[in-house]
Amino acid sequence: MTSAVETVKGPVAIESLGVTLPHEHIFLREPEVEANYPNSHWDEAAKIDQAVAALDQVKAMGVDTLVDLTVLGLGRDISLVQKVAARTDINICVATGSYTFNQLPTHFELRGPGRLVDMPRDPLETCFINDITVGIAGTGVKAAMIKVATDSYGITPDVARVLRAAAVAHRETGVTITTHTHAEDFTGRDQQAFLKAEGVPLDRVVIGHSGDSTDVNYLRELMDNGSTIGLDRFGAEILMSDEARIEVLLRLIELGYSDRLTLSHDAFIYSANLPDEFVAEKLPKWKFTHLFTHIVPALYERGVSEETIRVMTVDNPARMLRRVQHGGAFGLN
Ligand SMILES: [Zn+2]
């Protein structure tokens, strides 16, 4: 086990991560669309100011670390995140990986073993590992998690390629895999089967967006298989009400699963995909502070102990941000 976790401003001791939001986004960009069909609501200076203010606010509420899971496919731009990090004290961890629902960009379609641009190794593996061990896009900022997605399309050939590359990157670096799922289609189950077959210990996987499901049996199955799950869309009431999310959470705590649950929002400061006005009108609670202004107080009211809150908001994210050491390059433990 190594005890430091990479953040935008360099490694920090795992013990100092404190209360952590493990599944959030700062800026979700769509560079090609934005460049060609200018999107009136992107204003870099204003958005950086807004991000700094929001992060300072959540830091003042006792949150010490936020994990930005914005990867390829979501418009990751580490230079922008660095500009934000420079002006706030909160730790910001970033991720490598690919948010691919169906098909990878043509750039990757054409490259790899046996492809038109024949390469000895899948470039996705090289990208993921480089982001973790060398740094992202020449910034020296290292990824602290590997993010993958399996949506309603299921494990398409390209999604399989991403998952396989993530598994290789995990085995080589010991960095945790964290996922996007479509809970309605139980795609966390598919991810577990695939990653397990690829040699990833399931206790090094966080099955994300599990909080979009009220199927307690499905959620228990994911955790009984060893994974931690993300109840990571509090405030996204367009998908499910907070009341329903809280009821599932309480049930899982009661069943003894608090050591496998993480809490977050999947919120963002800017998304090229959703206009600011839409978010303000339809998703008014969807912000980094919502857990602490509404959800945690509601949990205390329902009798959840301070200790259980600490396990879910401090211990569990820290465990998942910890890099494990596998025995040898491809060894498993
Ligand atoms: Zn997300």
Side-chain angles (χ1 to χ4, degrees), residues 246-278:
I246 287 171
E247 289 311 317
V248 173
L249 170 54
L250 290 169
R251 180 77 185 121
L252 295 175
I253 292 171
E254 185 181 54
L255 289 166
Y257 288 97
S258 55
D259 65 341
R260 304 237 168 129
L261 304 172
T262 55
L263 311 180
S264 212
H265 309 92
D266 198 23
F268 49 80
I269 299 301
Y270 167 88
S271 170
N273 302 322
L274 295 173
D276 288 353
E277 314 77 60
F278 176 91

PDB file of all heavy atoms in Angstrom, residues 246-278:
ATOM      1  N   ILE A 246     -32.632   8.558  -0.164  1.00  0.00           N
ATOM      2  CA  ILE A 246     -32.377   8.432   1.277  1.00  0.00           C
ATOM      3  C   ILE A 246     -32.949   7.112   1.811  1.00  0.00           C
ATOM      4  O   ILE A 246     -32.301   6.441   2.623  1.00  0.00           O
ATOM      5  CB  ILE A 246     -32.950   9.656   2.031  1.00  0.00           C
ATOM      6  CG1 ILE A 246     -32.075  10.890   1.760  1.00  0.00           C
ATOM      7  CG2 ILE A 246     -33.041   9.387   3.537  1.00  0.00           C
ATOM      8  CD1 ILE A 246     -32.653  12.200   2.279  1.00  0.00           C
ATOM      9  N   GLU A 247     -34.134   6.737   1.347  1.00  0.00           N
ATOM     10  CA  GLU A 247     -34.731   5.486   1.832  1.00  0.00           C
ATOM     11  C   GLU A 247     -33.839   4.287   1.502  1.00  0.00           C
ATOM     12  O   GLU A 247     -33.631   3.407   2.342  1.00  0.00           O
ATOM     13  CB  GLU A 247     -36.134   5.265   1.237  1.00  0.00           C
ATOM     14  CG  GLU A 247     -37.209   6.205   1.785  1.00  0.00           C
ATOM     15  CD  GLU A 247     -37.256   6.298   3.319  1.00  0.00           C
ATOM     16  OE1 GLU A 247     -37.149   5.249   3.988  1.00  0.00           O
ATOM     17  OE2 GLU A 247     -37.370   7.427   3.841  1.00  0.00           O
ATOM     18  N   VAL A 248     -33.314   4.257   0.279  1.00  0.00           N
ATOM     19  CA  VAL A 248     -32.409   3.151  -0.101  1.00  0.00           C
ATOM     20  C   VAL A 248     -31.155   3.176   0.770  1.00  0.00           C
ATOM     21  O   VAL A 248     -30.721   2.142   1.286  1.00  0.00           O
ATOM     22  CB  VAL A 248     -32.032   3.239  -1.601  1.00  0.00           C
ATOM     23  CG1 VAL A 248     -30.973   2.204  -1.954  1.00  0.00           C
ATOM     24  CG2 VAL A 248     -33.267   3.057  -2.477  1.00  0.00           C
ATOM     25  N   LEU A 249     -30.615   4.355   0.954  1.00  0.00           N
ATOM     26  CA  LEU A 249     -29.398   4.491   1.760  1.00  0.00           C
ATOM     27  C   LEU A 249     -29.638   3.989   3.188  1.00  0.00           C
ATOM     28  O   LEU A 249     -28.829   3.219   3.740  1.00  0.00           O
ATOM     29  CB  LEU A 249     -28.956   5.960   1.756  1.00  0.00           C
ATOM     30  CG  LEU A 249     -27.841   6.376   2.723  1.00  0.00           C
ATOM     31  CD1 LEU A 249     -26.598   5.524   2.561  1.00  0.00           C
ATOM     32  CD2 LEU A 249     -27.479   7.848   2.497  1.00  0.00           C
ATOM     33  N   LEU A 250     -30.762   4.394   3.776  1.00  0.00           N
ATOM     34  CA  LEU A 250     -31.062   3.964   5.149  1.00  0.00           C
ATOM     35  C   LEU A 250     -31.191   2.442   5.227  1.00  0.00           C
ATOM     36  O   LEU A 250     -30.713   1.809   6.164  1.00  0.00           O
ATOM     37  CB  LEU A 250     -32.350   4.633   5.648  1.00  0.00           C
ATOM     38  CG  LEU A 250     -32.247   6.136   5.923  1.00  0.00           C
ATOM     39  CD1 LEU A 250     -33.636   6.732   6.137  1.00  0.00           C
ATOM     40  CD2 LEU A 250     -31.359   6.416   7.136  1.00  0.00           C
ATOM     41  N   ARG A 251     -31.840   1.872   4.234  1.00  0.00           N
ATOM     42  CA  ARG A 251     -32.023   0.417   4.199  1.00  0.00           C
ATOM     43  C   ARG A 251     -30.657  -0.285   4.127  1.00  0.00           C
ATOM     44  O   ARG A 251     -30.411  -1.278   4.809  1.00  0.00           O
ATOM     45  CB  ARG A 251     -32.902   0.057   2.993  1.00  0.00           C
ATOM     46  CG  ARG A 251     -33.180  -1.399   2.829  1.00  0.00           C
ATOM     47  CD  ARG A 251     -34.250  -1.911   3.799  1.00  0.00           C
ATOM     48  NE  ARG A 251     -34.407  -3.360   3.683  1.00  0.00           N
ATOM     49  CZ  ARG A 251     -34.219  -4.212   4.690  1.00  0.00           C
ATOM     50  NH1 ARG A 251     -33.903  -3.779   5.894  1.00  0.00           N
ATOM     51  NH2 ARG A 251     -34.374  -5.506   4.497  1.00  0.00           N
ATOM     52  N   LEU A 252     -29.766   0.239   3.288  1.00  0.00           N
ATOM     53  CA  LEU A 252     -28.447  -0.390   3.138  1.00  0.00           C
ATOM     54  C   LEU A 252     -27.619  -0.253   4.418  1.00  0.00           C
ATOM     55  O   LEU A 252     -26.887  -1.170   4.796  1.00  0.00           O
ATOM     56  CB  LEU A 252     -27.704   0.202   1.930  1.00  0.00           C
ATOM     57  CG  LEU A 252     -28.354  -0.085   0.564  1.00  0.00           C
ATOM     58  CD1 LEU A 252     -27.611   0.646  -0.547  1.00  0.00           C
ATOM     59  CD2 LEU A 252     -28.405  -1.588   0.263  1.00  0.00           C
ATOM     60  N   ILE A 253     -27.759   0.882   5.079  1.00  0.00           N
ATOM     61  CA  ILE A 253     -27.050   1.063   6.355  1.00  0.00           C
ATOM     62  C   ILE A 253     -27.570   0.036   7.365  1.00  0.00           C
ATOM     63  O   ILE A 253     -26.797  -0.642   8.045  1.00  0.00           O
ATOM     64  CB  ILE A 253     -27.231   2.499   6.904  1.00  0.00           C
ATOM     65  CG1 ILE A 253     -26.500   3.511   6.006  1.00  0.00           C
ATOM     66  CG2 ILE A 253     -26.724   2.606   8.341  1.00  0.00           C
ATOM     67  CD1 ILE A 253     -26.792   4.973   6.338  1.00  0.00           C
ATOM     68  N   GLU A 254     -28.899  -0.077   7.403  1.00  0.00           N
ATOM     69  CA  GLU A 254     -29.538  -1.010   8.326  1.00  0.00           C
ATOM     70  C   GLU A 254     -29.077  -2.451   8.068  1.00  0.00           C
ATOM     71  O   GLU A 254     -28.904  -3.252   8.982  1.00  0.00           O
ATOM     72  CB  GLU A 254     -31.042  -0.883   8.094  1.00  0.00           C
ATOM     73  CG  GLU A 254     -31.957  -1.654   9.001  1.00  0.00           C
ATOM     74  CD  GLU A 254     -33.416  -1.408   8.589  1.00  0.00           C
ATOM     75  OE1 GLU A 254     -33.755  -1.611   7.399  1.00  0.00           O
ATOM     76  OE2 GLU A 254     -34.196  -0.988   9.429  1.00  0.00           O
ATOM     77  N   LEU A 255     -28.852  -2.773   6.796  1.00  0.00           N
ATOM     78  CA  LEU A 255     -28.401  -4.117   6.436  1.00  0.00           C
ATOM     79  C   LEU A 255     -26.903  -4.317   6.674  1.00  0.00           C
ATOM     80  O   LEU A 255     -26.361  -5.383   6.404  1.00  0.00           O
ATOM     81  CB  LEU A 255     -28.736  -4.403   4.966  1.00  0.00           C
ATOM     82  CG  LEU A 255     -30.226  -4.600   4.642  1.00  0.00           C
ATOM     83  CD1 LEU A 255     -30.467  -4.519   3.135  1.00  0.00           C
ATOM     84  CD2 LEU A 255     -30.724  -5.939   5.187  1.00  0.00           C
ATOM     85  N   GLY A 256     -26.224  -3.258   7.116  1.00  0.00           N
ATOM     86  CA  GLY A 256     -24.810  -3.400   7.483  1.00  0.00           C
ATOM     87  C   GLY A 256     -23.812  -3.077   6.387  1.00  0.00           C
ATOM     88  O   GLY A 256     -22.655  -3.506   6.442  1.00  0.00           O
ATOM     89  N   TYR A 257     -24.233  -2.315   5.384  1.00  0.00           N
ATOM     90  CA  TYR A 257     -23.337  -2.042   4.254  1.00  0.00           C
ATOM     91  C   TYR A 257     -22.649  -0.673   4.298  1.00  0.00           C
ATOM     92  O   TYR A 257     -22.094  -0.238   3.283  1.00  0.00           O
ATOM     93  CB  TYR A 257     -24.112  -2.161   2.935  1.00  0.00           C
ATOM     94  CG  TYR A 257     -24.459  -3.593   2.570  1.00  0.00           C
ATOM     95  CD1 TYR A 257     -25.707  -4.125   2.865  1.00  0.00           C
ATOM     96  CD2 TYR A 257     -23.530  -4.411   1.936  1.00  0.00           C
ATOM     97  CE1 TYR A 257     -26.037  -5.435   2.530  1.00  0.00           C
ATOM     98  CE2 TYR A 257     -23.839  -5.726   1.601  1.00  0.00           C
ATOM     99  CZ  TYR A 257     -25.091  -6.232   1.900  1.00  0.00           C
ATOM    100  OH  TYR A 257     -25.401  -7.521   1.570  1.00  0.00           O
ATOM    101  N   SER A 258     -22.686   0.018   5.435  1.00  0.00           N
ATOM    102  CA  SER A 258     -22.145   1.381   5.421  1.00  0.00           C
ATOM    103  C   SER A 258     -20.668   1.438   5.028  1.00  0.00           C
ATOM    104  O   SER A 258     -20.200   2.445   4.510  1.00  0.00           O
ATOM    105  CB  SER A 258     -22.373   2.082   6.760  1.00  0.00           C
ATOM    106  OG  SER A 258     -21.845   1.304   7.794  1.00  0.00           O
ATOM    107  N   ASP A 259     -19.943   0.350   5.226  1.00  0.00           N
ATOM    108  CA  ASP A 259     -18.525   0.372   4.850  1.00  0.00           C
ATOM    109  C   ASP A 259     -18.301   0.177   3.347  1.00  0.00           C
ATOM    110  O   ASP A 259     -17.156   0.134   2.880  1.00  0.00           O
ATOM    111  CB  ASP A 259     -17.730  -0.672   5.652  1.00  0.00           C
ATOM    112  CG  ASP A 259     -18.155  -2.098   5.322  1.00  0.00           C
ATOM    113  OD1 ASP A 259     -19.273  -2.278   4.775  1.00  0.00           O
ATOM    114  OD2 ASP A 259     -17.378  -3.030   5.606  1.00  0.00           O
ATOM    115  N   ARG A 260     -19.379   0.080   2.569  1.00  0.00           N
ATOM    116  CA  ARG A 260     -19.226  -0.066   1.103  1.00  0.00           C
ATOM    117  C   ARG A 260     -19.981   1.020   0.344  1.00  0.00           C
ATOM    118  O   ARG A 260     -20.244   0.874  -0.849  1.00  0.00           O
ATOM    119  CB  ARG A 260     -19.755  -1.430   0.655  1.00  0.00           C
ATOM    120  CG  ARG A 260     -19.069  -2.581   1.384  1.00  0.00           C
ATOM    121  CD  ARG A 260     -18.403  -3.562   0.457  1.00  0.00           C
ATOM    122  NE  ARG A 260     -17.557  -4.440   1.237  1.00  0.00           N
ATOM    123  CZ  ARG A 260     -17.577  -5.759   1.174  1.00  0.00           C
ATOM    124  NH1 ARG A 260     -18.404  -6.365   0.357  1.00  0.00           N
ATOM    125  NH2 ARG A 260     -16.750  -6.478   1.893  1.00  0.00           N
ATOM    126  N   LEU A 261     -20.350   2.094   1.024  1.00  0.00           N
ATOM    127  CA  LEU A 261     -21.151   3.138   0.379  1.00  0.00           C
ATOM    128  C   LEU A 261     -20.363   4.435   0.299  1.00  0.00           C
ATOM    129  O   LEU A 261     -19.702   4.820   1.264  1.00  0.00           O
ATOM    130  CB  LEU A 261     -22.432   3.400   1.184  1.00  0.00           C
ATOM    131  CG  LEU A 261     -23.338   2.203   1.460  1.00  0.00           C
ATOM    132  CD1 LEU A 261     -24.457   2.610   2.429  1.00  0.00           C
ATOM    133  CD2 LEU A 261     -23.941   1.675   0.156  1.00  0.00           C
ATOM    134  N   THR A 262     -20.429   5.091  -0.848  1.00  0.00           N
ATOM    135  CA  THR A 262     -19.878   6.442  -0.948  1.00  0.00           C
ATOM    136  C   THR A 262     -20.988   7.385  -1.400  1.00  0.00           C
ATOM    137  O   THR A 262     -21.919   6.976  -2.107  1.00  0.00           O
ATOM    138  CB  THR A 262     -18.692   6.527  -1.937  1.00  0.00           C
ATOM    139  OG1 THR A 262     -19.117   6.027  -3.213  1.00  0.00           O
ATOM    140  CG2 THR A 262     -17.500   5.729  -1.458  1.00  0.00           C
ATOM    141  N   LEU A 263     -20.885   8.642  -0.977  1.00  0.00           N
ATOM    142  CA  LEU A 263     -21.935   9.629  -1.246  1.00  0.00           C
ATOM    143  C   LEU A 263     -21.362  10.784  -2.054  1.00  0.00           C
ATOM    144  O   LEU A 263     -20.280  11.296  -1.748  1.00  0.00           O
ATOM    145  CB  LEU A 263     -22.490  10.180   0.077  1.00  0.00           C
ATOM    146  CG  LEU A 263     -22.890   9.150   1.152  1.00  0.00           C
ATOM    147  CD1 LEU A 263     -23.423   9.879   2.387  1.00  0.00           C
ATOM    148  CD2 LEU A 263     -23.929   8.166   0.613  1.00  0.00           C
ATOM    149  N   SER A 264     -22.091  11.189  -3.091  1.00  0.00           N
ATOM    150  CA  SER A 264     -21.631  12.311  -3.900  1.00  0.00           C
ATOM    151  C   SER A 264     -22.811  12.853  -4.689  1.00  0.00           C
ATOM    152  O   SER A 264     -23.962  12.440  -4.453  1.00  0.00           O
ATOM    153  CB  SER A 264     -20.482  11.844  -4.819  1.00  0.00           C
ATOM    154  OG  SER A 264     -19.558  12.872  -5.069  1.00  0.00           O
ATOM    155  N   HIS A 265     -22.552  13.795  -5.606  1.00  0.00           N
ATOM    156  CA  HIS A 265     -23.639  14.423  -6.372  1.00  0.00           C
ATOM    157  C   HIS A 265     -23.578  14.194  -7.879  1.00  0.00           C
ATOM    158  O   HIS A 265     -24.593  14.301  -8.546  1.00  0.00           O
ATOM    159  CB  HIS A 265     -23.624  15.949  -6.178  1.00  0.00           C
ATOM    160  CG  HIS A 265     -23.595  16.410  -4.764  1.00  0.00           C
ATOM    161  ND1 HIS A 265     -22.421  16.676  -4.089  1.00  0.00           N
ATOM    162  CD2 HIS A 265     -24.591  16.642  -3.878  1.00  0.00           C
ATOM    163  CE1 HIS A 265     -22.708  17.070  -2.858  1.00  0.00           C
ATOM    164  NE2 HIS A 265     -24.005  17.056  -2.697  1.00  0.00           N
ATOM    165  N   ASP A 266     -22.360  13.983  -8.415  1.00  0.00           N
ATOM    166  CA  ASP A 266     -22.178  13.988  -9.877  1.00  0.00           C
ATOM    167  C   ASP A 266     -22.558  15.364 -10.433  1.00  0.00           C
ATOM    168  O   ASP A 266     -23.041  15.479 -11.558  1.00  0.00           O
ATOM    169  CB  ASP A 266     -23.026  12.875 -10.540  1.00  0.00           C
ATOM    170  CG  ASP A 266     -22.590  12.527 -11.953  1.00  0.00           C
ATOM    171  OD1 ASP A 266     -21.414  12.795 -12.298  1.00  0.00           O
ATOM    172  OD2 ASP A 266     -23.417  11.998 -12.716  1.00  0.00           O
ATOM    173  N   ALA A 267     -22.343  16.386  -9.618  1.00  0.00           N
ATOM    174  CA  ALA A 267     -22.697  17.752 -10.049  1.00  0.00           C
ATOM    175  C   ALA A 267     -21.527  18.381 -10.806  1.00  0.00           C
ATOM    176  O   ALA A 267     -20.464  17.761 -10.946  1.00  0.00           O
ATOM    177  CB  ALA A 267     -23.061  18.589  -8.828  1.00  0.00           C
ATOM    178  N   PHE A 268     -21.724  19.594 -11.303  1.00  0.00           N
ATOM    179  CA  PHE A 268     -20.684  20.271 -12.091  1.00  0.00           C
ATOM    180  C   PHE A 268     -20.900  21.768 -12.011  1.00  0.00           C
ATOM    181  O   PHE A 268     -21.973  22.239 -11.623  1.00  0.00           O
ATOM    182  CB  PHE A 268     -20.744  19.808 -13.551  1.00  0.00           C
ATOM    183  CG  PHE A 268     -22.143  19.860 -14.121  1.00  0.00           C
ATOM    184  CD1 PHE A 268     -22.685  21.054 -14.556  1.00  0.00           C
ATOM    185  CD2 PHE A 268     -22.913  18.704 -14.191  1.00  0.00           C
ATOM    186  CE1 PHE A 268     -23.977  21.112 -15.055  1.00  0.00           C
ATOM    187  CE2 PHE A 268     -24.219  18.756 -14.684  1.00  0.00           C
ATOM    188  CZ  PHE A 268     -24.756  19.953 -15.116  1.00  0.00           C
ATOM    189  N   ILE A 269     -19.857  22.489 -12.391  1.00  0.00           N
ATOM    190  CA  ILE A 269     -19.964  23.952 -12.459  1.00  0.00           C
ATOM    191  C   ILE A 269     -20.455  24.378 -13.832  1.00  0.00           C
ATOM    192  O   ILE A 269     -21.179  25.344 -13.976  1.00  0.00           O
ATOM    193  CB  ILE A 269     -18.576  24.597 -12.177  1.00  0.00           C
ATOM    194  CG1 ILE A 269     -18.093  24.221 -10.775  1.00  0.00           C
ATOM    195  CG2 ILE A 269     -18.624  26.122 -12.358  1.00  0.00           C
ATOM    196  CD1 ILE A 269     -19.010  24.642  -9.639  1.00  0.00           C
ATOM    197  N   TYR A 270     -20.020  23.649 -14.840  1.00  0.00           N
ATOM    198  CA  TYR A 270     -20.418  23.968 -16.214  1.00  0.00           C
ATOM    199  C   TYR A 270     -20.538  22.682 -16.990  1.00  0.00           C
ATOM    200  O   TYR A 270     -19.692  21.794 -16.869  1.00  0.00           O
ATOM    201  CB  TYR A 270     -19.357  24.850 -16.883  1.00  0.00           C
ATOM    202  CG  TYR A 270     -19.527  24.969 -18.386  1.00  0.00           C
ATOM    203  CD1 TYR A 270     -20.332  25.960 -18.931  1.00  0.00           C
ATOM    204  CD2 TYR A 270     -18.882  24.080 -19.248  1.00  0.00           C
ATOM    205  CE1 TYR A 270     -20.508  26.057 -20.312  1.00  0.00           C
ATOM    206  CE2 TYR A 270     -19.045  24.175 -20.631  1.00  0.00           C
ATOM    207  CZ  TYR A 270     -19.853  25.158 -21.155  1.00  0.00           C
ATOM    208  OH  TYR A 270     -20.019  25.252 -22.505  1.00  0.00           O
ATOM    209  N   SER A 271     -21.595  22.573 -17.785  1.00  0.00           N
ATOM    210  CA  SER A 271     -21.700  21.455 -18.713  1.00  0.00           C
ATOM    211  C   SER A 271     -22.130  21.984 -20.071  1.00  0.00           C
ATOM    212  O   SER A 271     -23.154  22.664 -20.180  1.00  0.00           O
ATOM    213  CB  SER A 271     -22.721  20.431 -18.227  1.00  0.00           C
ATOM    214  OG  SER A 271     -22.955  19.485 -19.265  1.00  0.00           O
ATOM    215  N   ALA A 272     -21.329  21.658 -21.075  1.00  0.00           N
ATOM    216  CA  ALA A 272     -21.694  22.059 -22.437  1.00  0.00           C
ATOM    217  C   ALA A 272     -22.979  21.366 -22.863  1.00  0.00           C
ATOM    218  O   ALA A 272     -23.642  21.791 -23.798  1.00  0.00           O
ATOM    219  CB  ALA A 272     -20.568  21.699 -23.397  1.00  0.00           C
ATOM    220  N   ASN A 273     -23.317  20.291 -22.142  1.00  0.00           N
ATOM    221  CA  ASN A 273     -24.484  19.505 -22.543  1.00  0.00           C
ATOM    222  C   ASN A 273     -25.791  20.040 -21.965  1.00  0.00           C
ATOM    223  O   ASN A 273     -26.857  19.744 -22.484  1.00  0.00           O
ATOM    224  CB  ASN A 273     -24.292  18.051 -22.125  1.00  0.00           C
ATOM    225  CG  ASN A 273     -23.033  17.453 -22.740  1.00  0.00           C
ATOM    226  OD1 ASN A 273     -22.705  17.747 -23.887  1.00  0.00           O
ATOM    227  ND2 ASN A 273     -22.306  16.661 -21.979  1.00  0.00           N
ATOM    228  N   LEU A 274     -25.694  20.774 -20.887  1.00  0.00           N
ATOM    229  CA  LEU A 274     -26.911  21.294 -20.250  1.00  0.00           C
ATOM    230  C   LEU A 274     -26.774  22.797 -20.037  1.00  0.00           C
ATOM    231  O   LEU A 274     -25.843  23.247 -19.375  1.00  0.00           O
ATOM    232  CB  LEU A 274     -27.139  20.605 -18.891  1.00  0.00           C
ATOM    233  CG  LEU A 274     -27.444  19.104 -18.905  1.00  0.00           C
ATOM    234  CD1 LEU A 274     -27.474  18.560 -17.491  1.00  0.00           C
ATOM    235  CD2 LEU A 274     -28.765  18.814 -19.616  1.00  0.00           C
ATOM    236  N   PRO A 275     -27.717  23.575 -20.576  1.00  0.00           N
ATOM    237  CA  PRO A 275     -27.638  25.033 -20.373  1.00  0.00           C
ATOM    238  C   PRO A 275     -27.759  25.387 -18.877  1.00  0.00           C
ATOM    239  O   PRO A 275     -28.485  24.719 -18.140  1.00  0.00           O
ATOM    240  CB  PRO A 275     -28.862  25.567 -21.138  1.00  0.00           C
ATOM    241  CG  PRO A 275     -29.317  24.461 -22.025  1.00  0.00           C
ATOM    242  CD  PRO A 275     -28.852  23.179 -21.404  1.00  0.00           C
ATOM    243  N   ASP A 276     -27.047  26.436 -18.474  1.00  0.00           N
ATOM    244  CA  ASP A 276     -27.098  26.889 -17.078  1.00  0.00           C
ATOM    245  C   ASP A 276     -28.535  27.097 -16.605  1.00  0.00           C
ATOM    246  O   ASP A 276     -28.892  26.724 -15.488  1.00  0.00           O
ATOM    247  CB  ASP A 276     -26.341  28.224 -16.915  1.00  0.00           C
ATOM    248  CG  ASP A 276     -24.828  28.044 -17.018  1.00  0.00           C
ATOM    249  OD1 ASP A 276     -24.360  26.886 -17.077  1.00  0.00           O
ATOM    250  OD2 ASP A 276     -24.119  29.073 -17.050  1.00  0.00           O
ATOM    251  N   GLU A 277     -29.363  27.699 -17.477  1.00  0.00           N
ATOM    252  CA  GLU A 277     -30.746  28.006 -17.082  1.00  0.00           C
ATOM    253  C   GLU A 277     -31.536  26.718 -16.828  1.00  0.00           C
ATOM    254  O   GLU A 277     -32.386  26.669 -15.941  1.00  0.00           O
ATOM    255  CB  GLU A 277     -31.493  28.820 -18.164  1.00  0.00           C
ATOM    256  CG  GLU A 277     -30.725  29.993 -18.766  1.00  0.00           C
ATOM    257  CD  GLU A 277     -29.670  29.554 -19.773  1.00  0.00           C
ATOM    258  OE1 GLU A 277     -30.032  28.924 -20.782  1.00  0.00           O
ATOM    259  OE2 GLU A 277     -28.470  29.841 -19.547  1.00  0.00           O
ATOM    260  N   PHE A 278     -31.259  25.709 -17.638  1.00  0.00           N
ATOM    261  CA  PHE A 278     -31.937  24.420 -17.459  1.00  0.00           C
ATOM    262  C   PHE A 278     -31.611  23.837 -16.086  1.00  0.00           C
ATOM    263  O   PHE A 278     -32.488  23.399 -15.347  1.00  0.00           O
ATOM    264  CB  PHE A 278     -31.519  23.459 -18.574  1.00  0.00           C
ATOM    265  CG  PHE A 278     -32.084  22.063 -18.431  1.00  0.00           C
ATOM    266  CD1 PHE A 278     -33.290  21.718 -19.021  1.00  0.00           C
ATOM    267  CD2 PHE A 278     -31.410  21.087 -17.702  1.00  0.00           C
ATOM    268  CE1 PHE A 278     -33.813  20.431 -18.890  1.00  0.00           C
ATOM    269  CE2 PHE A 278     -31.920  19.801 -17.559  1.00  0.00           C
ATOM    270  CZ  PHE A 278     -33.128  19.478 -18.163  1.00  0.00           C
TER     271      PHE A 278
END
